[in-house]
Amino acid sequence: MNKAFEAFDEHLLELARFVEEAESMEKGLHQLSVLVGHAMDCRHCSIMLVKQDPETGEPRLRVEAHQGALVPQAYGEFQRFGAGIAGQVAAAGKGLLINDLHHSEFADAARRGQEVEVVDVISVPVVLDGEVIGVINIDTPNDRRRLTREDFRMASILALVVGKSVLVHRLKGLLRTSFTQLALARQPGAATGPITHAPERVARLLARTLYDEMSRAGFSRDHVLTAATELIGQVSEDQE
């Protein structure tokens, strides 16, 4: 039994406490990547979440947090389902344990340079209510041991905790403002089920509620368009 597995119970409790106490999704995901890497006793861990392509609406994976070495441009890349190792995991909804990556069938899909040392990789899906919402990638044990099926099972359990963490933070966000509470109250059952892990659906619900409220208050369509333009402007400022 390896060292990481011997301390697994303690790490799992640490993750559970974190899920309850973390303040925000952004800060939380980074800390989750650190905790998962620590629990697996590995140097590298990245968490990718599913985002919709703004043009096609198709699901894409994007790196949201990582521990260890990762090229900066990785945060700006979107990986489609079925492409690369993480994309294949997301498309199939099943994890992979890849031993000796550069001499495996996944060598061409590896998005990294050729390493001298043997590299084992674990990639597991993050699932909520049967839907893949992300992927966790782990490699390079600190003690240079080889990754095993035991490690794969540990990573799969940790992915469940990460999934619940995402759910908890989204629920907190939904209930944080009175405007959101108003929007949810107008749609019975909206605070439970798939909407809790479908931010695009929530965004559309909020947009419809804003439109309805502005219309009831007597604002014209031009005023609604002004509000929409202001929202777009705020998004642009945040990206600068």
Side-chain angles (χ1 to χ4, degrees):
M1 184 176 292
N2 63 51
K3 182 176 65 175
F5 191 80
E6 290 175 355
F8 187 61
D9 287 348
E10 179 182 340
H11 294 313
L12 200 56
L13 288 173
E14 185 178 10
L15 274 168
R17 287 194 297 269
F18 166 77
V19 169
E20 297 173 358
E21 298 171 1
E23 296 179 1
S24 68
M25 176 73 78
E26 291 74 16
K27 295 178 182 178
L29 285 175
H30 171 71
Q31 187 62 17
L32 276 174
S33 69
V34 173
L35 290 173
V36 170
H38 183 56
M40 295 294 300
D41 195 27
C42 288
R43 292 204 299 261
H44 302 149
C45 173
S46 65
I47 297 178
M48 310 175 77
L49 293 184
V50 176
K51 305 288 183 180
Q52 283 190 331
D53 186 297
E55 296 183 357
T56 66
E58 295 180 355
R60 294 285 189 270
L61 286 168
R62 187 176 70 181
V63 175
E64 297 291 334
H66 81 283
Q67 173 201 250
L70 187 71
V71 292
Q73 58 265 35
Y75 278 86
E77 296 177 355
F78 289 83
Q79 189 170 358
R80 65 179 178 82
F81 277 35
I85 294 172
Q88 293 182 49
V89 168
K94 296 181 179 179
L96 290 172
L97 166 60
I98 306 172
N99 293 121
D100 197 358
L101 173 64
H102 295 297
H103 292 89
S104 74
E105 61 182 298
F106 300 96
D108 293 339
R111 306 181 68 185
R112 52 197 295 166
Q114 183 74 28
E115 290 108 332
V116 176
E117 298 179 354
V118 173
V119 179
D120 295 336
V121 174
I122 289 175
S123 185
V124 290
V126 180
V127 179
L128 272 180
D129 291 341
E131 178 183 344
V132 175
I133 65 165
V135 172
I136 299 177
N137 307 293
I138 302 162
D139 68 80
T140 317
N142 290 313
D143 58 4
R144 298 188 178 182
R145 61 186 170 82
R146 304 298 300 276
L147 293 175
T148 66
R149 296 300 300 181
E150 190 176 80
D151 294 299
F152 179 79
R153 288 193 294 271
M154 289 167 53
S156 298
I157 294 172
L158 292 171
L160 292 174
V161 177
V162 171
K164 295 305 180 185
S165 178
V166 172
L167 176 60
V168 167
H169 287 297
R170 287 180 177 174
L171 284 172
K172 285 182 178 178
L174 286 175
L175 300 175
R176 192 166 289 140
T177 68
S178 56
F179 180 74
T180 304
Q181 292 174 18
L182 172 64
L184 293 175
R186 289 182 176 175
Q187 182 167 329
T192 60
I195 200 169
T196 58
H197 63 271
E200 293 81 11
R201 184 180 170 196
V202 176
R204 289 193 293 269
L205 174 61
L206 293 176
R208 290 195 298 270
T209 302
L210 176 60
Y211 177 80
D212 290 344
E213 287 300 300
M214 292 188 71
S215 297
R216 287 191 179 94
F219 288 97
S220 68
R221 296 179 69 179
D222 288 342
H223 293 139
V224 174
L225 289 174
T226 298
T229 302
E230 179 66 20
L231 283 172
I232 294 172
Q234 290 294 325
V235 172
S236 299
E237 289 180 9
D238 289 342
Q239 293 178 337
E240 293 178 354

